[in-house]
Amino acid sequence: MAEAEDALVIRDVVERLMKAHPQLDTRLVRVSVETAYEELRYARVRTYLPILMERRARDLLSPDEHTDR
C-alpha cells in the first residue's frame, strides 16, 4: 500500500515541477524526483515528504536549467 502512495507522490511532484519549469526535459525531472525519493524514502515522519522531495529535486537539477535562478 505504501508503495502505491509513494508512486502517486512521485507523480504529483514531477507534475508540479513540470508545470513550474516546462522547458525542462520530463525524464530529467523524473530522475531528479526519484533520486530525491530514494534519499528520503525511509523518513519516519512522512507528512512533509512531498515538499522535501520537491525541494531536493530542484537542488539536483542544475542551476543553469532553472529560469528563475
Side-chain angles (χ1 to χ4, degrees), residues 12-66:
D12 291 344
V13 172
V14 169
E15 288 177 3
R16 278 199 306 269
L17 284 173
M18 288 306 304
K19 285 180 184 176
H21 305 285
Q23 76 281 4
L24 295 178
D25 179 49
T26 305
R27 195 175 89 221
L28 177 66
V29 173
R30 181 154 186 86
V31 167
S32 297
V33 172
E34 288 173 352
T35 300
Y37 170 75
E38 288 301 320
E39 292 175 2
L40 299 166
R41 73 184 293 178
Y42 296 109
R44 290 183 184 173
V45 179
R46 301 181 64 81
T47 303
Y48 302 107
L49 187 61
I51 191 67
L52 294 173
M53 285 173 49
E54 185 172 345
R55 288 179 182 174
R56 179 63 181 134
R58 285 179 193 260
D59 289 344
L60 291 171
L61 295 168
S62 64
D64 60 335
E65 292 173 338
H66 291 286

